[in-house]
mmCIF file of all heavy atoms in Angstrom:
data_model
loop_
_atom_site.group_PDB
_atom_site.id
_atom_site.type_symbol
_atom_site.label_atom_id
_atom_site.label_comp_id
_atom_site.label_asym_id
_atom_site.label_seq_id
_atom_site.Cartn_x
_atom_site.Cartn_y
_atom_site.Cartn_z
ATOM 1 N N VAL B 17 -24.367 28.927 -1.901
ATOM 2 C CA VAL B 17 -24.761 27.559 -1.596
ATOM 3 C C VAL B 17 -25.980 27.634 -0.702
ATOM 4 O O VAL B 17 -26.451 28.400 -0.503
ATOM 5 C CB VAL B 17 -23.687 26.886 -0.761
ATOM 6 C CG1 VAL B 17 -24.143 25.485 -0.442
ATOM 7 C CG2 VAL B 17 -22.401 26.884 -1.491
ATOM 8 N N ALA B 18 -26.544 27.022 -0.169
ATOM 9 C CA ALA B 18 -27.512 26.826 0.837
ATOM 10 C C ALA B 18 -28.313 27.986 1.321
ATOM 11 O O ALA B 18 -28.602 28.072 2.465
ATOM 12 C CB ALA B 18 -26.842 26.268 2.033
ATOM 13 N N VAL B 19 -28.595 28.960 0.460
ATOM 14 C CA VAL B 19 -29.434 30.024 0.977
ATOM 15 C C VAL B 19 -30.900 29.633 0.901
ATOM 16 O O VAL B 19 -31.771 30.432 1.198
ATOM 17 C CB VAL B 19 -29.180 31.360 0.274
ATOM 18 C CG1 VAL B 19 -29.742 32.513 1.087
ATOM 19 C CG2 VAL B 19 -27.700 31.568 0.105
ATOM 20 N N THR B 20 -31.176 28.405 0.512
ATOM 21 C CA THR B 20 -32.569 27.972 0.593
ATOM 22 C C THR B 20 -32.885 27.907 2.073
ATOM 23 O O THR B 20 -32.325 27.084 2.764
ATOM 24 C CB THR B 20 -32.746 26.556 0.050
ATOM 25 O OG1 THR B 20 -31.511 26.160 -0.505
ATOM 26 C CG2 THR B 20 -33.897 26.461 -0.881
ATOM 27 N N PRO B 21 -33.725 28.770 2.551
ATOM 28 C CA PRO B 21 -33.926 28.820 3.989
ATOM 29 C C PRO B 21 -34.716 27.584 4.441
ATOM 30 O O PRO B 21 -35.698 27.208 3.799
ATOM 31 C CB PRO B 21 -34.728 30.090 4.199
ATOM 32 C CG PRO B 21 -34.934 30.667 2.839
ATOM 33 C CD PRO B 21 -34.571 29.681 1.828
ATOM 34 N N THR B 22 -34.279 27.008 5.504
ATOM 35 C CA THR B 22 -35.030 25.881 6.054
ATOM 36 C C THR B 22 -35.948 26.437 7.130
ATOM 37 O O THR B 22 -35.643 27.445 7.734
ATOM 38 C CB THR B 22 -34.078 24.869 6.679
ATOM 39 O OG1 THR B 22 -33.102 25.599 7.424
ATOM 40 C CG2 THR B 22 -33.386 24.043 5.625
ATOM 41 N N GLU B 23 -37.033 25.775 7.345
ATOM 42 C CA GLU B 23 -37.902 26.206 8.439
ATOM 43 C C GLU B 23 -37.129 26.039 9.729
ATOM 44 O O GLU B 23 -36.354 25.107 9.868
ATOM 45 C CB GLU B 23 -39.166 25.347 8.476
ATOM 46 C CG GLU B 23 -40.009 25.448 7.221
ATOM 47 C CD GLU B 23 -40.624 26.832 7.036
ATOM 48 O OE1 GLU B 23 -41.166 27.372 8.012
ATOM 49 O OE2 GLU B 23 -40.535 27.380 5.933
ATOM 50 N N PRO B 24 -37.315 26.918 10.665
ATOM 51 C CA PRO B 24 -36.544 26.804 11.902
ATOM 52 C C PRO B 24 -36.961 25.577 12.713
ATOM 53 O O PRO B 24 -38.012 25.010 12.480
ATOM 54 C CB PRO B 24 -36.869 28.096 12.643
ATOM 55 C CG PRO B 24 -38.127 28.579 12.038
ATOM 56 C CD PRO B 24 -38.220 28.037 10.651
ATOM 57 N N ALA B 25 -36.097 25.240 13.662
ATOM 58 C CA ALA B 25 -36.391 24.142 14.586
ATOM 59 C C ALA B 25 -36.696 22.846 13.856
ATOM 60 O O ALA B 25 -37.610 22.128 14.192
ATOM 61 C CB ALA B 25 -37.566 24.507 15.488
ATOM 62 N N LYS B 26 -35.920 22.578 12.804
ATOM 63 C CA LYS B 26 -36.174 21.345 12.071
ATOM 64 C C LYS B 26 -35.094 20.321 12.418
ATOM 65 O O LYS B 26 -33.925 20.631 12.437
ATOM 66 C CB LYS B 26 -36.154 21.652 10.573
ATOM 67 C CG LYS B 26 -36.445 20.473 9.690
ATOM 68 C CD LYS B 26 -36.400 20.922 8.239
ATOM 69 C CE LYS B 26 -35.538 19.994 7.410
ATOM 70 N NZ LYS B 26 -35.174 20.568 6.150
ATOM 71 N N SER B 27 -35.483 19.129 12.665
ATOM 72 C CA SER B 27 -34.622 17.983 12.912
ATOM 73 C C SER B 27 -33.424 18.282 13.807
ATOM 74 O O SER B 27 -33.521 18.969 14.799
ATOM 75 C CB SER B 27 -34.143 17.393 11.597
ATOM 76 O OG SER B 27 -33.242 18.277 10.967
ATOM 77 N N LYS B 28 -32.243 17.788 13.438
ATOM 78 C CA LYS B 28 -31.117 17.766 14.360
ATOM 79 C C LYS B 28 -30.528 19.145 14.655
ATOM 80 O O LYS B 28 -30.755 20.108 13.923
ATOM 81 C CB LYS B 28 -30.019 16.906 13.773
ATOM 82 C CG LYS B 28 -30.430 15.472 13.765
ATOM 83 C CD LYS B 28 -29.262 14.617 13.304
ATOM 84 C CE LYS B 28 -29.653 13.182 13.226
ATOM 85 N NZ LYS B 28 -29.531 12.656 11.872
ATOM 86 N N SER B 29 -29.745 19.195 15.679
ATOM 87 C CA SER B 29 -29.072 20.447 16.034
ATOM 88 C C SER B 29 -28.023 20.757 14.978
ATOM 89 O O SER B 29 -27.582 19.894 14.228
ATOM 90 C CB SER B 29 -28.387 20.286 17.383
ATOM 91 O OG SER B 29 -27.304 19.403 17.243
ATOM 92 N N VAL B 30 -27.604 22.032 14.935
ATOM 93 C CA VAL B 30 -26.578 22.417 13.966
ATOM 94 C C VAL B 30 -25.314 21.622 14.221
ATOM 95 O O VAL B 30 -24.674 21.106 13.309
ATOM 96 C CB VAL B 30 -26.272 23.917 14.109
ATOM 97 C CG1 VAL B 30 -25.163 24.308 13.165
ATOM 98 C CG2 VAL B 30 -27.519 24.711 13.843
ATOM 99 N N ARG B 31 -24.965 21.491 15.494
ATOM 100 C CA ARG B 31 -23.712 20.821 15.793
ATOM 101 C C ARG B 31 -23.769 19.361 15.330
ATOM 102 O O ARG B 31 -22.840 18.856 14.733
ATOM 103 C CB ARG B 31 -23.399 20.907 17.280
ATOM 104 C CG ARG B 31 -21.921 20.739 17.540
ATOM 105 C CD ARG B 31 -21.609 20.659 19.025
ATOM 106 N NE ARG B 31 -22.178 21.783 19.773
ATOM 107 C CZ ARG B 31 -22.582 21.665 21.021
ATOM 108 N NH1 ARG B 31 -22.502 20.522 21.660
ATOM 109 N NH2 ARG B 31 -23.093 22.697 21.641
ATOM 110 N N GLY B 32 -24.899 18.742 15.577
ATOM 111 C CA GLY B 32 -25.053 17.348 15.164
ATOM 112 C C GLY B 32 -24.890 17.200 13.661
ATOM 113 O O GLY B 32 -24.175 16.316 13.198
ATOM 114 N N ARG B 33 -25.495 18.103 12.917
ATOM 115 C CA ARG B 33 -25.429 17.975 11.462
ATOM 116 C C ARG B 33 -24.036 18.296 10.948
ATOM 117 O O ARG B 33 -23.543 17.669 10.018
ATOM 118 C CB ARG B 33 -26.450 18.911 10.817
ATOM 119 C CG ARG B 33 -27.844 18.470 11.168
ATOM 120 C CD ARG B 33 -28.874 19.088 10.289
ATOM 121 N NE ARG B 33 -28.376 20.259 9.597
ATOM 122 C CZ ARG B 33 -29.052 20.826 8.621
ATOM 123 N NH1 ARG B 33 -30.210 20.347 8.256
ATOM 124 N NH2 ARG B 33 -28.592 21.891 8.028
ATOM 125 N N THR B 34 -23.391 19.281 11.576
ATOM 126 C CA THR B 34 -22.032 19.603 11.168
ATOM 127 C C THR B 34 -21.133 18.394 11.373
ATOM 128 O O THR B 34 -20.356 18.006 10.510
ATOM 129 C CB THR B 34 -21.491 20.775 12.013
ATOM 130 O OG1 THR B 34 -22.447 21.808 11.978
ATOM 131 C CG2 THR B 34 -20.175 21.259 11.484
#
Side-chain angles (χ1 to χ4, degrees):
Chain B
V17 179
V19 197
T20 354
T22 43
E23 298 293 314
K26 182 180 131 196
S27 69
K28 291 186 183 119
S29 69
V30 177
R31 203 187 308 148
R33 295 196 342 169
T34 310

